[in-house]
Amino acid sequence: MEIPDGLKAKVLRRLPDFEASGGDTLLLDDIIEEACEDTLSETNQTEISSSMESIVIDIAVIKYNRVGTEGLASDSQGGVSNSYLNEYPESLKRKIAKHRKMKGL
């Protein structure tokens, strides 16, 4: 799947430490493509409209931030505890529901 124009730049603006941390652009491209596919699947649509880009961006950022912690519910290191979302936040679920197209029988 081809990433819609400008979408990668929008995701990168939400990941301010990406370049400073030596971010992997190929991995980011894969994550954005997966986020596009997830968005289409969740909404039963066939293409990403401009009004659905915020859904793709949110999913991509969530996926990028979860790299290396997939499957974990929480962890603790050096007295610092982290909890991870196992599903989309409610605000994202509402955006998805707003764009969901009912499947024909």
Side-chain angles (χ1 to χ4, degrees), residues 11-103:
V11 171
L12 281 169
R13 283 194 289 274
R14 302 273 171 44
L15 301 170
D17 296 333
F18 179 80
E19 289 182 17
S21 66
D24 182 344
T25 56
L26 292 177
L27 174 63
L28 184 61
D29 288 347
D30 289 347
I31 288 171
I32 295 171
E33 285 181 22
E34 288 176 14
C36 288
E37 291 167 2
D38 290 352
T39 300
L40 294 175
S41 175
E42 291 282 343
T43 60
N44 300 319
Q45 301 284 346
T46 57
E47 59 185 50
I48 302 293
S49 66
S50 59
S51 65
M52 291 168 48
E53 285 185 358
S54 67
I55 297 170
V56 175
I57 293 166
D58 289 349
I59 292 173
V61 169
I62 290 168
K63 285 178 171 281
Y64 184 81
N65 287 331
R66 285 295 314 254
V67 169
T69 62
E70 295 91 341
L72 294 178
S74 65
D75 72 348
S76 179
Q77 295 178 4
V80 177
S81 296
N82 294 305
S83 296
Y84 303 101
L85 294 172
N86 288 326
E87 56 184 51
Y88 297 140
E90 289 300 317
S91 59
L92 180 54
K93 288 180 184 178
R94 284 191 298 274
K95 284 186 198 180
I96 291 169
K98 180 180 169 186
H99 288 87
R100 187 167 283 135
K101 184 177 176 181
M102 298 301 289
K103 286 186 177 183

